[in-house]
Amino acid sequence: MKLKKQVTVCGGAIFCVAVFSLYLMLDRVQHDPARRHSAGNFPRSQISVLQNRIEQLEQLLEENHQIISHIKDSVLELTDTGAISPSGHLPFRSANGSWVLPFDGRPTFLSVKPLDCQFALARRSQTDLQMLDVYSLLSFDNVDGGVWKQGFEITYEPNEWDDEPLQVFVVPHSHNDPGWIKTFDKYYNDQTQHIFNNMVVKLAEDPRRKFIWSEISFFAKWWESADVHKQEAMRKLILSGQLEMVTGGWVMTDEANAHYFAMIDQLIEGHQWLEKNLGVTPRSGWAVDPFGHSATMPYLLNRANISSMLIQRVHYSIKKHFAATRSLEFMWRQTWDIESGTDMFCHMMPFYSYDVPHTCGPDPKICCQFDFKRLPGSRVNCPWKVPPRAITDANVAERAGVLLDQYRKKSKLFRSKVLLVPLGDDFRYDKALEWDQQYFNYQKLFDYMNSHPEMHVKAQFATLTDYFNAVYKANGVAPGTRPPDYPVLSGDFFAYADREDHYWSGYYTSRPFYKNLDRVLESHLRGAEVLYSLAVAHARRAGLEGRYPVSDYSLLTDARRNIGLFQHHDAITGTAKEAVVIDYGNRSLNENFIQCVDPIFLLFLRYLVLFNPIEQERLCVVTLLVNSVRVRVLTEDGQTLPVQLSAQWVSAVEMSGEVYQSVRRKDDPQEVRVQIQFLTYGTRPSKDKSGAYLFLPDGNAKPYLQREAPAVRVVEGPLFAEVVAHYQHFQQTVRIHNVPGVEGLSLDITTMVDIRDQNNKELAMRLVTDIQSGDTFYTDLNGFQIQPRRYFQKLPLQANFYPMPAMAYIQDSQYRLTLHTAQALGVSSLASGQLEVILDRRLMQDDNRGLGQGLKDNKRTANRFRLLLERRSEETDKHPVDSRSVSFPSLLSHMTSTILNHDVLALPVLSRKHGVPPMRTFAPLAGTLPCDFHLLNLRSIQSLDTHSPSPYTALLLHRLGLDCGLEAQNPGFNCTTTQGQVSILT
C-alpha cells in the first residue's frame, strides 16, 4: 500500500503542476496589456501565434493524460499482482511469479501527430516503368539474339543522320578495384600508380584527350606521394576538363550489402578530399561494376548535387527489354517520392560488360578489333580470333566505316542522336604504350570521320559529363532535367544475372563474419564521430580547446577511410581473395581496438562509462564479463542497478522437433504460429556451381538433420529469459528482455554458425508462420528504405533472393512479422507466410567470375536478429496492405533496427592507484530529438592539414517514413513527433 500511495501522490502532483501551468499560460494571454489593447483587431500573425499556442496546450493536455493513465495502470498492475517486496528491495518476484524491476511503471508516452503519418498514405506520382511490373511482364526466356547474344538484331536506314549528325563521345577509363585479386597496396604499387604517372604525361600531350577516374582512395594515395610538379600538372588537367572525377566516392561502393551510413560516409570522405585538395565537386555518377543497383544510390547522388549517373550490371533480360523500348536512359525516381524531387537522370549500358568488346556496339567480335591494347604481340588478345589492326592511311576509311556501323547500331537503342562509348577495362592504361595505342589510333579514326561530311558523324574523346551535357543540349533542357518523352522509372535492379540462370545472389551472404564485423565497426565509428564532435564543441565553448587532444583526429580519419575502403564492391560483398580479405580485416581491426575488446581485460574492470549512441533515451541490458558471482553495479551517484548473472543453468534437457512454435504479444490473446526451421542447400552437380558470387543450388532446401536431438538450456532471471538450442553446426539463442519499452517488445535471436567441416553447403534459417502473405514480401535497401518484392515462379529459386542489409517482413490484414538483422544477408519468401535467410556459405570451387577461389575461409560467426510481431490497428485492418508499390516500417520497427545496430558502448576506465576516477554524466544535448528523426552522424569536418578538425561539423539527420497503421507500443521513453520541425540546442 505504501508503494501505491507514493505512486498515486506522484501522479496527483504531476497533474496539479500541469493544470497550474495551463492556468498561468492562459492568464498571461488574458492579462497582457498589449493584447487587451488590440482586442478585436488581431493581426493575422498574432492569430496564427495564438492558434499555435492552443495546439501546444492541446498537446500538453494529451501528453499529461497519457502520463496519468500510465501511472494509474501501473498502480492497478502492482496491486493486482501483489507486487510488494518483503524486503523492500528490487528486483523481486511478485505473487504471480513475474519479476518486478525498479523502472517498472515509470511514466512515458507516445504522441505521433496524424500529419506525421500522412507521408506514408499519400498518393505517389505515376512512373512509366515500375520494376515490379517489368518483372511481371517479362518472360525471361533468353532467346539467342545473334551477334548480340542476349539482345536482338539491330538495323537502320543510312539516311537517318542526314539532318542531325550522330555525336559520338568516347570516354577512356580504367576501373581500379581497391582490393580483389590483390590487396589495395599491391594493386597500387603494381599498376595504379603507373596509371596516374602516365596520365599526367599523356593527357598533356594533346588537349583533345580526355579521361575519367572514380576511386578517390587510390587517387589520394598517389597525390600524397607525388611531388609538387606532378600535383600541379594533375590539377591543371582536372581544372581544364581533360580529367574528370566521377562519383567521387572513396570507393565504387557495393549497393546490395552496404548500409546507407557507410555509403554516405565514404562519399563524404571522397568529396571532402576533392574539395580540399582540388576545389572540385563531381557532377556525374559512374558505377560500372557493382553487382546490381539499388534505388538508394541515385537518391544519395542527387543529395550530393550530382545530376546524372551511369549503371552497368543489370539483368540481361531487363537490358534487352529496355533496349527494345529505347528506355535505357530514364529519370530514376524514388518509389516514395510524392512528386519528382528525387529524379536522377540515369544511363544504363546496354551490353554484357564495360570492357571494350561490349561498348562500341552490339557485335563484340568487331568491337574487340578496336581495342588497340590487343594489337598482335600483346599478352591480351581477342577471344573471337580477329585481332585489331593499327590504323594507317591505307586502312582508315575501311576501319572508320566498320566502327561507325557499330556506333549507329548502338545509337538506335537510345532516344537522342548522342552516343556514349566507354573505352577501358580493369586496370587499363598502366603502360605508356597503351596510352599511345588507344589515343593515336582513335584520333586517326576521329579525324577521318569528322573530315568526311557524308558520314554524318562527329566523334571525339570526352568525359562523362561532356556526354550528359550533350544529351541535355540536344533535348533543350537544363542538366539534370527530364528530357521530353524520356521515361520515369522506380524500383531497383536486384537480383543481377549476367547470363543463363546465373544469378549473383550468393554474395548477399558470402563471408558473413566480415559483414557482421563491418556493421559493428560502423556503429563504433559513428559513436566516435558523435562523441568527438560533441567533446570538441564542449571544449571550445568552455575555452579549453588548447587542452583537448585534437591530434587524435587523424585516428578518426584513418577509421573513416578503412571502413570506407571496405564498402568496395569486392570487399563487403565477400568476393575477394582470402589474403585480401585478411588485409581488409587487419586494416579495420588495429591493435588498439583488439586490446579494448579483450574479454580478459574486462574481468578486472571496476569502472565503466556507458555511451548511448542513439538519439533517444534508452532502457536496455548491458552485458559484461565478470570473474565473480558477487557483483553489485552502482551509478555515479551510488544508486544500485539491477543485475542478472547468467552462469547458472536452470535446466538442460534434450528435445526434438522445432524448439520454437509460436509467438504471442502480451496484450494479444491470439497466438501467431512462428516456427524456426533450419535447412541446407547444396550446389548443382553440373559444371557451373555456386561460388562467392553465384547461388546455384541443387534444388529446394533440405531439412537440417543431425543424429542427436539438440541440447536445449533455459535461463530465467529478472532482466531476461532465454532458450539456447545447441546443434552440431550452430547454436541458437532466443532471448526475451524483461525491460519496458523497445528492448522488451521483440525477440532477440542470435545464431552462432560454424560450418567449417562442411563441403558445398549453405545453411538457411526459415521462419514458417500462418500469416497470409501470399507471394509478396518486403526487404530494405541499404537500411534506408523498403522495397516490395514478389516471388515469381517463372524464375529459378536463386532469382527470388534479395539483399537484406537491415530488415525484411511479411504481412497480411492482421499482422506484420519483421526480421531485423545486424548484418547483411540474403533473404527470400519462397511460400506464403515464410521468410528465409541464408546464414553462411561454404563452397569448394570458383564460380568462374574471375576470383579463382571458392569460399573456404569460414569463421565461427554470430548472426544477430530481432523478431518483431506487430498487429494492424482496427482502423486499417480492412484495407489491403500490399496494393501499393511503396511500404514503410512502423515507428517501433525503426527503433528496433536502431537498437539492434547500435549497442550501448561500454568504455573501460582504468582504475587509479588511489581513489575513484572522476566520473559524471555528460549530456550535451538540451533534449532528445523527435522520435521520427534519426541522427545518422555528427561528423567533424577536416581542416586543411588533415590532422585536425576544422571549426565546422556536419549534422546528418534522417526523418523516417512511418506506417502508422500498426498498433503503437509504449517505447519506454517520451516519444513525440513535430511535423518535421527540429530545434538543435546544445
Side-chain angles (χ1 to χ4, degrees), residues 447-624:
D447 289 344
Y448 183 87
M449 291 177 182
N450 296 339
S451 63
H452 286 75
E454 71 277 8
M455 300 185 80
H456 301 288
V457 62
K458 180 182 179 182
Q460 64 187 64
F461 292 116
T463 65
L464 186 60
T465 297
D466 289 338
Y467 166 75
F468 283 128
N469 285 342
V471 172
Y472 295 131
K473 183 177 180 180
N475 285 279
V477 299
T481 306
R482 179 186 178 186
D485 301 323
Y486 275 55
V488 177
L489 176 144
S490 64
D492 69 340
F493 297 102
F494 293 115
Y496 166 60
D498 57 349
R499 61 176 182 261
E500 301 169 354
D501 63 349
H502 293 190
Y503 284 84
W504 296 44
S505 52
Y507 81 95
Y508 302 155
T509 293
S510 295
R511 292 184 168 118
F513 175 86
Y514 291 95
K515 287 177 166 64
N516 179 273
L517 177 63
D518 168 70
R519 195 67 62 82
V520 171
L521 295 180
E522 285 176 26
S523 180
H524 279 73
L525 172 61
R526 177 184 170 277
E529 295 273 20
V530 173
L531 268 182
Y532 188 89
S533 297
L534 292 174
V536 170
H538 188 75
R540 284 173 178 154
R541 189 161 54 186
L544 302 174
E545 184 175 3
R547 296 173 57 186
Y548 193 82
V550 292
S551 59
D552 289 346
Y553 187 76
S554 60
L555 300 176
L556 200 57
T557 300
D558 290 343
R560 292 170 177 171
R561 294 179 176 182
N562 286 330
I563 290 178
L565 192 71
F566 194 69
Q567 306 316 305
H568 164 55
H569 56 264
D570 278 308
I572 192 174
T573 53
T575 55
K577 288 274 193 184
E578 291 179 9
V580 179
V581 173
I582 293 171
D583 181 66
Y584 284 132
N586 289 339
R587 287 175 177 272
S588 300
L589 289 176
N590 60 46
E591 184 177 350
N592 292 331
F593 180 82
I594 294 173
Q595 288 178 352
C596 288
V597 298
D598 189 344
I600 298 176
F601 179 78
L602 293 178
L603 291 176
F604 301 99
L605 190 62
R606 291 297 180 265
Y607 301 100
L608 270 181
V609 172
L610 299 180
F611 172 51
N612 173 22
I614 67 175
E615 58 278 351
Q616 303 293 344
E617 292 181 1
R618 187 170 187 173
L619 195 60
C620 63
V621 176
V622 177
T623 302
L624 295 172

Side-chain angles (χ1 to χ4, degrees), residues 709-728:
V712 178
R713 302 183 185 274
V714 179
V715 176
E716 185 186 4
L719 298 179
F720 64 85
E722 67 181 17
V723 177
V724 184
H726 298 263
Y727 295 81
Q728 182 179 350

